[in-house]
Every structure is written in C-alpha cells, then in structure tokens.
C-alpha cells in the first residue's frame, strides 16, 4: 500500500493511513486488491476519519471483484469508477509479490499465440471522495508505481532533501477526479505497445496465409485470436461506456462560484473527453485488427480457390488433348475385319502421326489461350 498527500506544493508519501482530513490538497491511497481485502477494516476506519464516510458493501465487493467489467457508479458522497486495464504481462510466472494473485492470473490466461496469452485485463477500481482518492490495483500493476514516480518527480526542488527540480510543464493533480483521469489515461496509452505487438503478429499471419503453397495453417490459434480480439472489443466498449457515464455525471455538477473552481471543472471535462477520445481510438484499432484477421482468412481461401481452379483448368485441358487420341485408338481397336489402314504396312505410322499432330495442335491452341499457363504470382 502506498499513501500520498498531494497538494499545490508537491506530493509527500506517507507511512500510515490518514487519521484526519488534509489541511490542503487531498490524499491518494493506492493499494493492491489483496491488501485491500486484508486491511479493509483499517481502510474503512481511515476513510471515516478523513472523509466522514465509508464505502458501501456493494462497492467493496466491486473493488474486490477481479472479473468486474468497466463501470461507473455513484452515491451522494463519492463516485466509483472501475476501469479494466489493457496491459502486457512480462512473465507468465508471478514474482514473490504476486504469488497471492497467481490463481486469478492463471484463470485469466488465454490460449493461442503468445502475444494474446500475455494480455491482462484486470480491473482497477477508484473511489473518489472530496479529499481522498482510493485506488485498488492488481498486485502486479505497474501503473500505480509509474504514476507515483511521476508525482515525486514533479515535486518542487528542496536542496535539504536532495530533490531535483520538477520537469518543465509538470503540474500536480488538483483533485481526486483529476488524478483518477490521469491514471486512467496512462493505462489507455499503455495499449500502444500492445497494439504494435498485435499488429506485428497479425501481419505475420497474413503473410503466411497468403503464401500460395501454404499447406499448414494453425486454424485453432487463428480462431482463438479472433475470439480474443472480440473480447478486447467488448472490454473497450465497456471502458468507453464507463467514461461516457462519468462525463455525463460531470455535466450535472454544480458550477463553482470561483473562477479557479470553474477552471478546474473545465479542465476535468477536457481531460475526460481526451480520455474518451483515446479509448475510441483503441476501439477503432481493435476492430480494424478483427477485420484484418477476417480479411486474411478470406484472402487465403480465395488464393487456395484460385489455385484449385488453375489445377482443374490444366487437367481439363490435358483431358481435352487426350480425348481425340483415345477416340482414334478406340476406332482402330474395334473388332471389324475391314478398317482403313489396318491391313496396310504404313497404317500404324499414319495413325501415330495423326495422333501426334492432333496432340501438338491442341497443346499449342490451349497454350495460346493460356489454358495451360499458371496464373501470375502463383
């Protein structure tokens, strides 16, 4: 569990749960799902002391549920956002810190190509109070630590503590919703690396499928890839719906009287729309990958069908060449006593010459008409 006190002057990491409301800024309590379940009583007591409210039982169940889809809910005192991340697991074997989540991760593994087996879509939950943001992450979630490092890097310079100057343009989150949107945006942007891997894998499959002499295709993996992409499409749709519901809820918030409050609310709306636009780009790309996979399969069958047509056309032409030869052989094989050329010394050579002439003429005719030529590129 990591606890931060975030205010206009910077961010300070605390060593214990807050026991009173912050004098300025807000608290960010970020914990793993297993830690949240184990220390639920202490967390609820800290929320009661710092906000005067506790999480309702149904929302506690939502935060503990590792299979919950993305969704948005609210009460009169706080809002709840559950957002399924799209991340790539770097290792199938969990480390020491993730041993408690090993059964859950194993249950979520997909079969098929490695790039799809490494996709992890565990939910991250956010409970947004006025002065507290509680986030519940998977045990192996790197987003929390990555954004915590950003917070500490954006802290102002203090030579006594050895801290460097903040990055240019760095700005601390102004409220729990602002911090939540930044973390969500970081999770959505993390899909870019996954997108490159998926595109590279599907491009390889397309190349293999379009090879005209390809005999073996792992159709089972391809089918599982299509199913996985369809599941990703559903997950992205849930993400978009959750963020859209959040944006709709923002429209119902009372307009602050101060200009600073109005500016913060406008920034929240802008950032929310930006997150929604990023999610829509992800949805568009996942659907394009689905269409590319389906198109590759159709093109593969088209190439195979074209190759089969070439083979049948060649066999038909060869059959047409030998048909008159079989006719001549059949005529001279009849059991009649009087057949022209049968009793002549040069009759055999006349028959053979006629058959060779007819065969050569038909082969030349069919070649000119490209009945015996293979299709270009095959």
């Amino acid at each position: 569990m990591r606890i931060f006190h975030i205010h206009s002057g910077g961010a300070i990491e605390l060593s214990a749960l807050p026991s009173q409301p912050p004098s300025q800024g807000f608290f960010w309590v970020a914990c793993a799902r297993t830690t949240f379940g184990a220390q639920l009583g202490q967390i609820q007591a800290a929320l009661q002391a710092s906000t005067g409210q506790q999480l309702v039982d149904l929302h506690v169940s939502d935060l503990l549920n590792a299979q919950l889809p993305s969704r948005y809910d609210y009460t009169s005192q706080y809002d709840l956002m559950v957002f399924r991340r799209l991340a790539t697991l770097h290792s199938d074997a969990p480390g020491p810190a993730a041993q408690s989540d090993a059964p859950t991760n194993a249950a979520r593994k997909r079969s098929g190509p490695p790039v799809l087996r490494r996709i992890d879509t565990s939910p991250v939950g956010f409970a947004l109070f006025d002065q507290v943001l509680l986030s519940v992450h998977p045990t192996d979630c790197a987003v929390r630590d990555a954004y915590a490092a950003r917070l500490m890097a954006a802290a102002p310079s203090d030579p006594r503590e050895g801290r460097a100057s903040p990055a240019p343009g760095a700005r601390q989150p102004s409220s729990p919703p602002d911090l939540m949107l930044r973390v969500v945006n970081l999770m959505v942007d993390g899909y870019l690396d996954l997108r490159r891997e998926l595109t590279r894998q599907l491009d390889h499959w397309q190349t293999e499928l379009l090879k005209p002499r390809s005999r073996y295709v792992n159709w089972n993996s391809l089918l599982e890839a299509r199913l996985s992409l369809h599941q990703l499409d559903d997950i992205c749709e849930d993400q978009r719906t959750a963020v859209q519901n959040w944006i709709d809820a923002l429209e119902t918030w009372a307009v602050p009287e101060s200009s600073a409050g109005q500016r913060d609310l406008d920034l929240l709306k802008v950032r929310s729309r930006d997150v929604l636009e990023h999610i829509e780009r992800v949805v568009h790309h996942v659907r394009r990958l689905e269409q590319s996979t389906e198109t590759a399969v159709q093109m593969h069958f088209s190439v195979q069908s074209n190759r089969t047509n070439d083979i049948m056309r060649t066999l038909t032409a060869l059959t047409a060449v030998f048909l008159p030869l079989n006719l001549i052989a059949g005529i001279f094989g009849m059991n009649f006593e009087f057949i022209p050329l049968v009793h002549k010394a040069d009759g055999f050579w006349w028959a053979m010459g006629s058959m060779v002439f007819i065969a050569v003429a038909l082969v030349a005719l069919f070649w000119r008409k490209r009945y015996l030529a293979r299709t270009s590129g095959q």
Side-chain angles (χ1 to χ4, degrees):
M1 180 185 299
R2 302 189 66 179
I3 306 163
F4 299 90
H5 180 204
I6 304 171
H7 50 86
S8 58
I12 302 173
E13 187 166 3
L14 306 178
S15 58
L17 289 168
S19 58
Q20 59 184 1
S23 57
Q24 59 174 338
F26 62 96
F27 293 124
W28 178 25
V29 180
C31 59
R33 183 169 290 107
T34 53
T35 304
F36 177 74
Q39 301 183 17
L40 179 60
Q42 301 176 24
I43 294 175
Q44 290 279 49
L47 291 176
Q48 181 68 38
S50 57
T51 66
Q53 297 293 329
Q54 292 185 349
L55 295 171
V56 300
D57 294 340
L58 291 178
H59 289 166
V60 170
S61 300
D62 290 344
L63 293 176
L64 290 174
N65 188 355
Q67 305 298 328
L68 192 70
S70 301
R71 62 187 297 265
Y72 168 74
D73 199 7
Y74 63 92
T75 67
S76 60
Q77 300 296 329
Y78 66 90
D79 297 304
L80 180 77
M81 171 73 78
V82 177
F83 193 87
R84 295 188 74 92
R85 66 177 187 175
L86 291 174
T88 302
L89 297 177
H90 298 287
S91 174
D92 290 337
Q99 292 294 334
S100 56
D101 276 355
T104 305
N105 287 336
R108 289 196 304 268
K109 284 184 181 177
R110 296 179 174 87
S111 55
V115 65
L116 290 175
R117 287 202 303 267
R118 293 197 305 269
I119 293 179
D120 180 57
T121 56
S122 301
V124 179
F126 300 91
L128 297 92
F129 296 86
D130 291 338
Q131 292 181 297
V132 174
L133 172 64
L134 171 66
S135 60
V136 180
H137 306 258
T139 304
D140 59 345
C141 186
V143 175
R144 176 191 61 183
D145 296 332
Y147 198 80
R150 287 191 183 186
L151 283 178
M152 304 310 295
S157 174
D158 190 344
R160 294 174 301 176
E161 298 182 5
R163 289 186 294 184
S165 299
R171 178 177 176 271
Q172 294 288 357
S174 60
S175 62
D178 188 13
L179 176 57
M180 184 268 293
L181 290 174
R182 295 188 185 206
V183 176
V184 168
N185 190 54
L186 188 62
M187 288 190 288
V188 175
D189 289 343
Y191 177 76
L192 295 177
D193 294 335
L194 178 63
R195 181 180 66 179
R196 296 188 188 98
E197 288 192 60
L198 283 173
T199 303
R200 192 180 305 112
Q201 177 71 55
L202 292 178
D203 287 344
H204 170 71
W205 277 351
Q206 289 180 3
T207 303
E208 292 296 321
L209 286 173
L210 294 181
K211 287 182 178 179
R213 297 186 179 275
S214 177
R215 294 294 183 183
Y216 172 75
V217 177
N218 194 345
W219 294 108
N220 188 44
S221 295
L222 185 60
L223 177 60
E224 289 168 349
R226 292 173 60 190
L227 293 176
S228 297
L229 288 173
H230 184 69
Q231 292 174 1
L232 288 180
D233 188 13
D234 292 339
I235 290 172
C236 293
E237 280 292 341
D238 291 337
Q239 291 174 345
R240 181 165 63 176
T241 301
V243 175
Q244 184 62 58
N245 291 338
W246 161 259
I247 293 176
D248 294 340
L250 280 181
E251 298 296 334
T252 64
W253 286 17
V255 179
E257 297 181 358
S258 63
S259 58
Q262 293 179 2
R263 181 176 180 275
D264 289 340
L265 180 59
D266 291 338
L267 286 177
L268 277 180
K269 293 180 180 179
V270 171
R271 191 177 294 277
S272 299
R273 289 192 294 266
D274 181 68
V275 172
L276 181 62
E277 189 269 337
H278 287 186
I279 295 175
E280 289 175 347
R281 285 167 51 191
V282 171
V283 172
H284 173 73
H285 185 76
V286 169
R287 290 179 178 175
R288 186 168 65 85
L289 289 179
E290 283 189 276
Q291 294 174 358
S292 298
T293 305
E294 182 67 28
T295 301
V297 175
Q298 294 177 0
M299 292 179 65
H300 170 76
F301 283 115
S302 297
V303 170
Q304 294 300 320
S305 177
N306 190 37
R307 183 169 178 267
T308 302
N309 291 337
D310 283 346
I311 295 173
M312 295 304 299
R313 183 181 59 190
T314 302
L315 293 177
T316 302
L318 293 176
T319 302
V321 169
F322 284 95
L323 183 62
L325 309 185
N326 291 331
L327 177 61
I328 295 174
I331 291 175
F332 282 94
M334 293 180 179
N335 295 322
F336 290 102
E337 183 177 356
F338 300 102
I339 297 178
L341 303 177
V342 170
H343 297 288
K344 291 186 178 182
D346 56 352
F348 171 77
W349 300 110
W350 278 104
M352 292 299 298
S354 300
M355 294 170 69
V356 170
F357 174 77
I358 293 173
V360 171
L362 287 176
V363 168
L365 176 63
F366 292 156
W367 186 266
R368 184 173 182 178
K369 291 182 175 295
R370 301 182 63 83
Y371 292 166
L372 296 174
R374 298 176 63 187
T375 302
S376 177
Q378 298 297 316

